[in-house]
Amino acid sequence: MARNGVVSMHWRSEKIDGFDLSPPDDEQVHVLAVDDSLVDRKVIERLLKISCCKVTAVDSGIRALQFLGLDEEKSSSVGFDDLKVDLIITDYCMPGMTGYELLKKIKESSTFREIPVVIMSSENVMARIDRCLEEGAEDFIVKPVKLSDVKRLRDYMTAREFRVKNQQIGNNNNIKNNNKRRLSARRNIWNGIVFVDDLLGMFA
Amino acid sequence: MDRRHLRQQVTYVRKSLFDQGYLDDQFMQLEDLQDDANPNFVEEIVASFYSDSARLIQNIEQALVSRPVDFGKLDDCMHQFKGSSSSIGAKKVNMECSQFREYCCAGNIEGCIRTFQQIKQEHATLRKKLENFFQLARQAGQAETA
């Protein structure tokens, strides 16, 4: 089976009958956090760690690509097996490469396009949110990020892993899911929370 | 000063920081991230904010005196500063930053300059108040273990 950057599954395969509520350290959700702001990086790192995630925090899109091994021309699986990035959470406004550009690069990569990417932004702009969702972002969080945002992200990751383990992923669902995500995101924004996926979790 | 008195003072000082609008909910979010393993998390984040914001303030100052004024750059610099201040719950600082950005969008350099003085003032005031608060909290904590 080709490794295609899909959510790390190796601990699931060991536990066929259901969730292990407290996975050992090496089986934690590994999040790559990207933010040019030192303060925000520290905060998101703490938020993720307190939510039992392993975190790698970098200060730019370029560094994120370097970490993933995507910045090189050679088709690299060198060291990839050790990375197992389960989620990428990135700021939108960054000098050099924006979060949107980083999102595009990740979605263009056959190795990493299955990794969910969440965008964070201090600006709650509908056009921006739409653009990110259309490009394949899993979610859009309005800053400042709160513990409740991260906890729900964590729950989403757990539910997603379970779904991926127990069913085939159909590519023909992507368009339908994108629309659902967009609708859900819009609704949640009007409700004052920007978080997608509560609906998606029901469509297993 | 006895322990109970110290603790009362800490509570009072903390409450007034919120009541007087210096801090908002986001500061409480940071407090929730503190635990026995990370007892100084808030103080560390605030320290990072102040050391980082020195650089951001300098960038804004430079952009304010450059001619012709590059309002795009000014806005970018302020966006960074505002982001950090909102991440630590610096409410008054954040509000002045919003005002600054409005003047920026309107191309009003005098408004920007005036507001920036306010921002620096609020920034400095908050620093003193937080330093005082953290020091009190530390004293109260030490008194507890005595």
Side-chain angles (χ1 to χ4, degrees), chain A residues 20-81:
Chain A
D20 176 359
L21 291 176
S22 49
D25 277 355
D26 62 345
E27 297 173 348
Q28 283 175 309
V29 172
H30 179 200
V31 183
L32 176 61
V34 191
D35 201 317
D36 62 309
S37 157
L38 174 65
V39 170
D40 288 354
R41 251 191 340 271
K42 288 192 170 192
V43 173
I44 194 76
E45 196 168 358
R46 182 80 190 121
L47 283 169
L48 288 166
K49 282 186 174 164
I50 220 173
S51 308
C52 302
C53 295
K54 185 174 152 202
V55 189
T56 301
V58 296
D59 64 2
S60 70
I62 305 281
R63 289 235 203 279
L65 293 178
Q66 282 170 354
F67 180 79
L68 294 169
L70 264 182
D71 62 326
E72 274 131 13
E73 288 306 324
K74 60 184 174 168
S75 66
S76 64
S77 295
V78 175
F80 169 64
D81 279 6

Short mmCIF file of all heavy atoms in Angstrom, two decimals, chain A residues 20-81:
data_model
loop_
_atom_site.label_atom_id
_atom_site.label_comp_id
_atom_site.label_asym_id
_atom_site.label_seq_id
_atom_site.Cartn_x
_atom_site.Cartn_y
_atom_site.Cartn_z
N ASP A 20 -8.60 3.61 21.94
CA ASP A 20 -7.80 3.63 23.15
C ASP A 20 -7.85 5.09 23.58
O ASP A 20 -7.38 5.95 22.86
CB ASP A 20 -6.37 3.21 22.82
CG ASP A 20 -5.46 3.30 24.03
OD1 ASP A 20 -5.94 3.71 25.11
OD2 ASP A 20 -4.29 2.96 23.91
N LEU A 21 -8.41 5.37 24.70
CA LEU A 21 -8.64 6.75 25.06
C LEU A 21 -7.38 7.53 25.40
O LEU A 21 -7.34 8.74 25.34
CB LEU A 21 -9.63 6.85 26.24
CG LEU A 21 -11.06 6.44 25.86
CD1 LEU A 21 -11.96 6.44 27.08
CD2 LEU A 21 -11.63 7.35 24.80
N SER A 22 -6.34 6.82 25.77
CA SER A 22 -5.09 7.53 26.04
C SER A 22 -3.93 6.82 25.37
O SER A 22 -3.27 5.99 25.97
CB SER A 22 -4.84 7.63 27.55
OG SER A 22 -5.00 6.37 28.14
N PRO A 23 -3.73 7.15 24.10
CA PRO A 23 -2.65 6.49 23.36
C PRO A 23 -1.29 6.83 23.96
O PRO A 23 -1.13 7.95 24.44
CB PRO A 23 -2.76 7.06 21.95
CG PRO A 23 -3.55 8.30 22.09
CD PRO A 23 -4.43 8.12 23.28
N PRO A 24 -0.37 5.89 23.94
CA PRO A 24 0.98 6.18 24.44
C PRO A 24 1.63 7.28 23.60
O PRO A 24 1.19 7.57 22.51
CB PRO A 24 1.75 4.86 24.26
CG PRO A 24 0.82 3.88 23.69
CD PRO A 24 -0.51 4.50 23.52
N ASP A 25 2.69 7.86 24.16
CA ASP A 25 3.34 9.02 23.55
C ASP A 25 3.61 8.91 22.07
O ASP A 25 3.37 9.84 21.32
CB ASP A 25 4.67 9.30 24.27
CG ASP A 25 4.41 10.11 25.52
OD1 ASP A 25 3.26 10.51 25.73
OD2 ASP A 25 5.36 10.31 26.29
N ASP A 26 4.17 7.77 21.61
CA ASP A 26 4.57 7.69 20.22
C ASP A 26 3.37 7.48 19.30
O ASP A 26 3.53 7.34 18.10
CB ASP A 26 5.60 6.56 20.04
CG ASP A 26 5.02 5.21 20.40
OD1 ASP A 26 3.95 5.17 21.05
OD2 ASP A 26 5.63 4.19 20.06
N GLU A 27 2.17 7.42 19.85
CA GLU A 27 1.00 7.23 19.01
C GLU A 27 0.05 8.42 19.11
O GLU A 27 -1.11 8.33 18.81
CB GLU A 27 0.28 5.94 19.42
CG GLU A 27 1.17 4.72 19.18
CD GLU A 27 0.57 3.44 19.73
OE1 GLU A 27 -0.42 3.53 20.48
OE2 GLU A 27 1.08 2.37 19.42
N GLN A 28 0.59 9.54 19.58
CA GLN A 28 -0.23 10.73 19.70
C GLN A 28 -0.48 11.33 18.32
O GLN A 28 0.27 11.09 17.37
CB GLN A 28 0.49 11.79 20.53
CG GLN A 28 0.47 11.54 22.01
CD GLN A 28 1.33 12.57 22.71
OE1 GLN A 28 2.47 12.80 22.37
NE2 GLN A 28 0.76 13.22 23.71
N VAL A 29 -1.52 12.15 18.25
CA VAL A 29 -1.75 12.95 17.04
C VAL A 29 -0.59 13.94 16.93
O VAL A 29 -0.28 14.65 17.90
CB VAL A 29 -3.09 13.71 17.16
CG1 VAL A 29 -3.25 14.69 16.02
CG2 VAL A 29 -4.24 12.72 17.19
N HIS A 30 0.04 13.97 15.78
CA HIS A 30 1.16 14.87 15.57
C HIS A 30 0.70 16.03 14.71
O HIS A 30 0.28 15.85 13.57
CB HIS A 30 2.31 14.11 14.89
CG HIS A 30 3.50 14.97 14.62
ND1 HIS A 30 4.48 14.64 13.70
CD2 HIS A 30 3.90 16.15 15.14
CE1 HIS A 30 5.41 15.58 13.68
NE2 HIS A 30 5.08 16.50 14.55
N VAL A 31 0.81 17.23 15.28
CA VAL A 31 0.36 18.43 14.58
C VAL A 31 1.55 19.29 14.18
O VAL A 31 2.44 19.55 15.00
CB VAL A 31 -0.59 19.27 15.47
CG1 VAL A 31 -1.11 20.48 14.70
CG2 VAL A 31 -1.75 18.42 15.98
N LEU A 32 1.53 19.72 12.94
CA LEU A 32 2.53 20.70 12.48
C LEU A 32 1.86 22.06 12.52
O LEU A 32 0.88 22.31 11.82
CB LEU A 32 2.97 20.35 11.05
CG LEU A 32 3.94 21.30 10.36
CD1 LEU A 32 5.26 21.41 11.11
CD2 LEU A 32 4.20 20.86 8.92
N ALA A 33 2.36 22.94 13.39
CA ALA A 33 1.76 24.28 13.55
C ALA A 33 2.65 25.31 12.87
O ALA A 33 3.87 25.30 13.07
CB ALA A 33 1.60 24.60 15.03
N VAL A 34 2.05 26.18 12.07
CA VAL A 34 2.81 27.16 11.31
C VAL A 34 2.30 28.56 11.63
O VAL A 34 1.13 28.86 11.39
CB VAL A 34 2.67 26.90 9.79
CG1 VAL A 34 3.67 27.73 8.99
CG2 VAL A 34 2.83 25.42 9.47
N ASP A 35 3.17 29.40 12.21
CA ASP A 35 2.76 30.78 12.52
C ASP A 35 4.00 31.63 12.65
O ASP A 35 4.94 31.25 13.35
CB ASP A 35 1.95 30.81 13.82
CG ASP A 35 1.08 32.07 13.94
OD1 ASP A 35 1.57 33.18 13.61
OD2 ASP A 35 -0.08 31.93 14.35
N ASP A 36 3.99 32.81 12.02
CA ASP A 36 5.17 33.67 12.08
C ASP A 36 5.25 34.42 13.41
O ASP A 36 6.31 34.94 13.75
CB ASP A 36 5.19 34.66 10.90
CG ASP A 36 4.00 35.60 10.93
OD1 ASP A 36 2.86 35.11 11.05
OD2 ASP A 36 4.20 36.82 10.83
N SER A 37 4.15 34.48 14.14
CA SER A 37 4.15 35.20 15.42
C SER A 37 4.65 34.30 16.54
O SER A 37 4.10 33.23 16.79
CB SER A 37 2.74 35.70 15.74
OG SER A 37 2.59 35.90 17.12
N LEU A 38 5.68 34.77 17.25
CA LEU A 38 6.26 34.00 18.34
C LEU A 38 5.22 33.71 19.43
O LEU A 38 5.10 32.57 19.91
CB LEU A 38 7.45 34.76 18.95
CG LEU A 38 8.08 34.15 20.20
CD1 LEU A 38 8.72 32.81 19.89
CD2 LEU A 38 9.10 35.10 20.81
N VAL A 39 4.48 34.75 19.80
CA VAL A 39 3.47 34.60 20.86
C VAL A 39 2.42 33.57 20.45
O VAL A 39 2.09 32.65 21.22
CB VAL A 39 2.79 35.96 21.15
CG1 VAL A 39 1.59 35.79 22.05
CG2 VAL A 39 3.80 36.91 21.79
N ASP A 40 1.92 33.69 19.23
CA ASP A 40 0.89 32.76 18.77
C ASP A 40 1.41 31.34 18.67
O ASP A 40 0.67 30.38 18.94
CB ASP A 40 0.33 33.21 17.41
CG ASP A 40 -0.53 34.46 17.53
OD1 ASP A 40 -0.78 34.88 18.68
OD2 ASP A 40 -0.97 35.00 16.51
N ARG A 41 2.66 31.21 18.28
CA ARG A 41 3.26 29.87 18.19
C ARG A 41 3.31 29.22 19.56
O ARG A 41 2.98 28.05 19.73
CB ARG A 41 4.69 29.96 17.63
CG ARG A 41 4.82 29.42 16.25
CD ARG A 41 6.20 29.22 15.71
NE ARG A 41 7.31 29.91 16.29
CZ ARG A 41 7.73 31.12 15.92
NH1 ARG A 41 7.08 31.76 14.98
NH2 ARG A 41 8.80 31.66 16.49
N LYS A 42 3.71 29.99 20.55
CA LYS A 42 3.80 29.45 21.90
C LYS A 42 2.42 29.06 22.43
O LYS A 42 2.26 28.04 23.09
CB LYS A 42 4.42 30.48 22.85
CG LYS A 42 5.90 30.65 22.61
CD LYS A 42 6.56 31.46 23.72
CE LYS A 42 8.06 31.38 23.57
NZ LYS A 42 8.77 31.87 24.74
N VAL A 43 1.45 29.91 22.13
CA VAL A 43 0.09 29.64 22.61
C VAL A 43 -0.49 28.40 21.93
O VAL A 43 -1.02 27.50 22.60
CB VAL A 43 -0.83 30.86 22.40
CG1 VAL A 43 -2.27 30.51 22.73
CG2 VAL A 43 -0.36 32.03 23.26
N ILE A 44 -0.36 28.31 20.62
CA ILE A 44 -0.94 27.17 19.92
C ILE A 44 -0.23 25.87 20.33
O ILE A 44 -0.87 24.82 20.47
CB ILE A 44 -0.94 27.37 18.37
CG1 ILE A 44 -1.85 26.35 17.68
CG2 ILE A 44 0.42 27.25 17.75
CD1 ILE A 44 -3.30 26.64 17.79
N GLU A 45 1.06 25.98 20.58
CA GLU A 45 1.81 24.82 21.00
C GLU A 45 1.28 24.30 22.35
O GLU A 45 1.06 23.10 22.53
CB GLU A 45 3.29 25.21 21.14
CG GLU A 45 4.22 24.03 21.20
CD GLU A 45 5.69 24.44 21.03
OE1 GLU A 45 5.97 25.64 20.83
OE2 GLU A 45 6.54 23.55 21.12
N ARG A 46 1.06 25.23 23.25
CA ARG A 46 0.56 24.86 24.58
C ARG A 46 -0.86 24.30 24.48
O ARG A 46 -1.20 23.30 25.10
CB ARG A 46 0.62 26.08 25.49
CG ARG A 46 0.16 25.83 26.91
CD ARG A 46 1.22 25.18 27.76
NE ARG A 46 0.61 24.78 29.03
CZ ARG A 46 0.58 23.54 29.49
NH1 ARG A 46 1.15 22.55 28.82
NH2 ARG A 46 -0.01 23.25 30.63
N LEU A 47 -1.68 24.96 23.67
CA LEU A 47 -3.05 24.49 23.48
C LEU A 47 -3.07 23.06 22.96
O LEU A 47 -3.86 22.23 23.40
CB LEU A 47 -3.79 25.39 22.47
CG LEU A 47 -4.27 26.76 22.96
CD1 LEU A 47 -4.71 27.62 21.79
CD2 LEU A 47 -5.42 26.60 23.94
N LEU A 48 -2.19 22.77 22.01
CA LEU A 48 -2.15 21.44 21.42
C LEU A 48 -1.59 20.41 22.40
O LEU A 48 -2.11 19.30 22.51
CB LEU A 48 -1.32 21.46 20.12
CG LEU A 48 -1.98 22.17 18.93
CD1 LEU A 48 -0.97 22.45 17.83
CD2 LEU A 48 -3.14 21.34 18.39
N LYS A 49 -0.55 20.79 23.13
CA LYS A 49 0.05 19.85 24.07
C LYS A 49 -0.92 19.50 25.18
O LYS A 49 -1.01 18.34 25.60
CB LYS A 49 1.35 20.42 24.65
CG LYS A 49 2.50 20.31 23.69
CD LYS A 49 3.82 20.75 24.30
CE LYS A 49 4.93 20.46 23.28
NZ LYS A 49 6.17 21.17 23.59
N ILE A 50 -1.65 20.51 25.64
CA ILE A 50 -2.59 20.27 26.73
C ILE A 50 -3.76 19.41 26.22
O ILE A 50 -4.46 18.78 27.01
CB ILE A 50 -3.06 21.61 27.34
CG1 ILE A 50 -3.16 21.49 28.85
CG2 ILE A 50 -4.37 22.10 26.76
CD1 ILE A 50 -3.46 22.80 29.55
N SER A 51 -3.94 19.36 24.91
CA SER A 51 -4.96 18.52 24.30
C SER A 51 -4.36 17.20 23.83
O SER A 51 -4.89 16.54 22.93
CB SER A 51 -5.61 19.24 23.11
OG SER A 51 -6.05 20.52 23.50
N CYS A 52 -3.22 16.85 24.41
CA CYS A 52 -2.56 15.57 24.14
C CYS A 52 -2.11 15.37 22.71
O CYS A 52 -2.23 14.28 22.15
CB CYS A 52 -3.47 14.39 24.52
SG CYS A 52 -3.92 14.46 26.25
N CYS A 53 -1.64 16.44 22.09
CA CYS A 53 -1.06 16.30 20.75
C CYS A 53 0.44 16.49 20.84
O CYS A 53 0.94 17.23 21.69
CB CYS A 53 -1.61 17.35 19.80
SG CYS A 53 -3.37 17.21 19.48
N LYS A 54 1.12 15.81 19.93
CA LYS A 54 2.54 16.09 19.77
C LYS A 54 2.64 17.25 18.78
O LYS A 54 1.90 17.28 17.80
CB LYS A 54 3.22 14.84 19.21
CG LYS A 54 4.70 14.93 19.09
CD LYS A 54 5.28 13.58 18.66
CE LYS A 54 6.57 13.82 17.89
NZ LYS A 54 6.94 12.72 17.03
N VAL A 55 3.52 18.21 19.06
CA VAL A 55 3.55 19.42 18.24
C VAL A 55 4.92 19.70 17.65
O VAL A 55 5.92 19.61 18.35
CB VAL A 55 3.17 20.67 19.08
CG1 VAL A 55 2.97 21.88 18.18
CG2 VAL A 55 1.94 20.42 19.91
N THR A 56 4.94 20.07 16.39
CA THR A 56 6.12 20.67 15.78
C THR A 56 5.68 22.06 15.33
O THR A 56 4.76 22.17 14.53
CB THR A 56 6.61 19.85 14.57
OG1 THR A 56 6.91 18.53 14.98
CG2 THR A 56 7.85 20.48 13.95
N ALA A 57 6.33 23.09 15.88
CA ALA A 57 5.93 24.45 15.53
C ALA A 57 7.02 25.11 14.70
O ALA A 57 8.19 25.10 15.08
CB ALA A 57 5.68 25.26 16.80
N VAL A 58 6.64 25.67 13.55
CA VAL A 58 7.61 26.34 12.69
C VAL A 58 7.10 27.75 12.40
O VAL A 58 5.91 28.04 12.54
CB VAL A 58 7.87 25.58 11.37
CG1 VAL A 58 8.49 24.22 11.67
CG2 VAL A 58 6.59 25.41 10.56
N ASP A 59 8.04 28.62 11.96
CA ASP A 59 7.66 30.03 11.84
C ASP A 59 7.36 30.50 10.43
O ASP A 59 7.17 31.69 10.19
CB ASP A 59 8.76 30.92 12.46
CG ASP A 59 10.08 30.81 11.70
OD1 ASP A 59 10.15 30.09 10.68
OD2 ASP A 59 11.05 31.45 12.14
N SER A 60 7.32 29.57 9.47
CA SER A 60 6.99 30.01 8.11
C SER A 60 6.53 28.83 7.26
O SER A 60 6.78 27.66 7.60
CB SER A 60 8.22 30.64 7.44
OG SER A 60 9.19 29.65 7.17
N GLY A 61 5.89 29.18 6.15
CA GLY A 61 5.44 28.16 5.21
C GLY A 61 6.61 27.40 4.61
O GLY A 61 6.55 26.18 4.43
N ILE A 62 7.69 28.13 4.36
CA ILE A 62 8.89 27.50 3.79
C ILE A 62 9.42 26.43 4.74
O ILE A 62 9.74 25.31 4.34
CB ILE A 62 10.01 28.55 3.54
CG1 ILE A 62 9.48 29.69 2.66
CG2 ILE A 62 11.24 27.92 2.95
CD1 ILE A 62 9.42 29.38 1.20
N ARG A 63 9.50 26.82 6.00
CA ARG A 63 10.00 25.84 6.99
C ARG A 63 9.07 24.63 7.10
O ARG A 63 9.52 23.50 7.32
CB ARG A 63 10.12 26.49 8.37
CG ARG A 63 11.22 27.49 8.50
CD ARG A 63 12.15 27.14 9.68
NE ARG A 63 12.86 28.32 10.13
CZ ARG A 63 13.94 28.80 9.53
NH1 ARG A 63 14.45 28.22 8.48
NH2 ARG A 63 14.50 29.90 10.01
N ALA A 64 7.78 24.89 6.95
CA ALA A 64 6.82 23.78 7.01
C ALA A 64 7.08 22.81 5.87
O ALA A 64 7.11 21.59 6.06
CB ALA A 64 5.39 24.31 6.94
N LEU A 65 7.30 23.37 4.68
CA LEU A 65 7.58 22.52 3.52
C LEU A 65 8.90 21.78 3.69
O LEU A 65 9.02 20.61 3.33
CB LEU A 65 7.61 23.36 2.24
CG LEU A 65 6.29 23.98 1.81
CD1 LEU A 65 6.46 24.83 0.56
CD2 LEU A 65 5.23 22.91 1.56
N GLN A 66 9.87 22.47 4.28
CA GLN A 66 11.16 21.82 4.54
C GLN A 66 10.97 20.65 5.50
O GLN A 66 11.53 19.57 5.30
CB GLN A 66 12.16 22.81 5.15
CG GLN A 66 12.79 23.74 4.14
CD GLN A 66 13.59 24.86 4.79
OE1 GLN A 66 13.59 25.02 6.02
NE2 GLN A 66 14.26 25.64 3.97
N PHE A 67 10.18 20.87 6.52
CA PHE A 67 9.94 19.82 7.50
C PHE A 67 9.30 18.61 6.85
O PHE A 67 9.62 17.45 7.16
CB PHE A 67 9.07 20.34 8.65
CG PHE A 67 8.79 19.31 9.70
CD1 PHE A 67 9.74 18.99 10.66
CD2 PHE A 67 7.58 18.63 9.72
CE1 PHE A 67 9.49 18.03 11.63
CE2 PHE A 67 7.33 17.66 10.69
CZ PHE A 67 8.27 17.36 11.64
N LEU A 68 8.36 18.89 5.94
CA LEU A 68 7.66 17.80 5.27
C LEU A 68 8.52 17.16 4.18
O LEU A 68 8.19 16.10 3.67
CB LEU A 68 6.35 18.31 4.65
CG LEU A 68 5.28 18.77 5.65
CD1 LEU A 68 4.16 19.51 4.92
CD2 LEU A 68 4.72 17.60 6.43
N GLY A 69 9.60 17.85 3.82
CA GLY A 69 10.45 17.35 2.75
C GLY A 69 9.89 17.69 1.38
O GLY A 69 10.23 17.07 0.37
N LEU A 70 9.02 18.70 1.34
CA LEU A 70 8.36 19.07 0.09
C LEU A 70 9.10 20.14 -0.69
O LEU A 70 8.74 20.48 -1.80
CB LEU A 70 6.95 19.61 0.37
CG LEU A 70 5.80 18.62 0.25
CD1 LEU A 70 4.50 19.34 0.52
CD2 LEU A 70 5.78 17.98 -1.13
N ASP A 71 10.12 20.72 -0.06
CA ASP A 71 10.78 21.84 -0.74
C ASP A 71 11.81 21.36 -1.75
O ASP A 71 12.31 22.10 -2.55
CB ASP A 71 11.45 22.77 0.26
CG ASP A 71 12.54 22.06 1.03
OD1 ASP A 71 12.37 20.86 1.29
OD2 ASP A 71 13.57 22.68 1.35
N GLU A 72 12.14 20.07 -1.64
CA GLU A 72 13.13 19.56 -2.58
C GLU A 72 12.49 18.98 -3.82
O GLU A 72 11.36 18.50 -3.78
CB GLU A 72 13.99 18.49 -1.91
CG GLU A 72 15.17 19.07 -1.16
CD GLU A 72 15.24 18.51 0.25
OE1 GLU A 72 14.57 17.53 0.54
OE2 GLU A 72 15.99 19.08 1.06
N GLU A 73 13.23 19.00 -4.91
CA GLU A 73 12.72 18.49 -6.17
C GLU A 73 12.60 16.98 -6.17
O GLU A 73 11.69 16.40 -6.72
CB GLU A 73 13.63 18.93 -7.33
CG GLU A 73 13.53 20.41 -7.67
CD GLU A 73 12.09 20.84 -7.94
OE1 GLU A 73 11.32 20.05 -8.53
OE2 GLU A 73 11.73 21.95 -7.55
N LYS A 74 13.57 16.35 -5.49
CA LYS A 74 13.57 14.88 -5.52
C LYS A 74 12.32 14.34 -4.84
O LYS A 74 11.86 14.85 -3.83
CB LYS A 74 14.83 14.33 -4.85
CG LYS A 74 14.99 14.72 -3.42
CD LYS A 74 16.32 14.20 -2.86
CE LYS A 74 16.45 14.78 -1.48
NZ LYS A 74 17.19 14.58 -0.52
N SER A 75 11.78 13.29 -5.40
CA SER A 75 10.62 12.68 -4.77
C SER A 75 11.10 12.00 -3.51
O SER A 75 11.80 11.00 -3.55
CB SER A 75 9.99 11.66 -5.72
OG SER A 75 10.88 10.59 -5.92
N SER A 76 10.73 12.58 -2.39
CA SER A 76 11.37 12.12 -1.15
C SER A 76 10.42 11.33 -0.29
O SER A 76 9.33 11.78 0.04
CB SER A 76 11.88 13.32 -0.37
OG SER A 76 10.81 14.11 0.02
N SER A 77 10.84 10.16 0.04
CA SER A 77 10.20 9.49 1.16
C SER A 77 11.25 9.34 2.23
O SER A 77 11.06 8.64 3.21
CB SER A 77 9.70 8.10 0.75
OG SER A 77 8.70 8.22 -0.20
N VAL A 78 12.37 10.02 2.01
CA VAL A 78 13.45 9.92 2.97
C VAL A 78 12.99 10.49 4.30
O VAL A 78 12.63 11.65 4.39
CB VAL A 78 14.69 10.74 2.49
CG1 VAL A 78 15.76 10.74 3.55
CG2 VAL A 78 15.20 10.16 1.19
N GLY A 79 12.96 9.69 5.30
CA GLY A 79 12.56 10.15 6.63
C GLY A 79 11.06 10.35 6.77
O GLY A 79 10.59 10.67 7.84
N PHE A 80 10.31 10.18 5.68
CA PHE A 80 8.88 10.47 5.78
C PHE A 80 8.20 9.56 6.79
O PHE A 80 7.33 9.97 7.54
CB PHE A 80 8.19 10.33 4.42
CG PHE A 80 6.69 10.35 4.55
CD1 PHE A 80 6.03 11.47 5.02
CD2 PHE A 80 5.95 9.22 4.26
CE1 PHE A 80 4.66 11.48 5.18
CE2 PHE A 80 4.57 9.22 4.41
CZ PHE A 80 3.93 10.35 4.86
N ASP A 81 8.58 8.31 6.78
CA ASP A 81 7.92 7.35 7.67
C ASP A 81 7.99 7.77 9.12
O ASP A 81 7.17 7.38 9.93
CB ASP A 81 8.55 5.96 7.49
CG ASP A 81 7.97 5.25 6.27
OD1 ASP A 81 7.19 5.89 5.54
OD2 ASP A 81 8.28 4.08 6.06
#
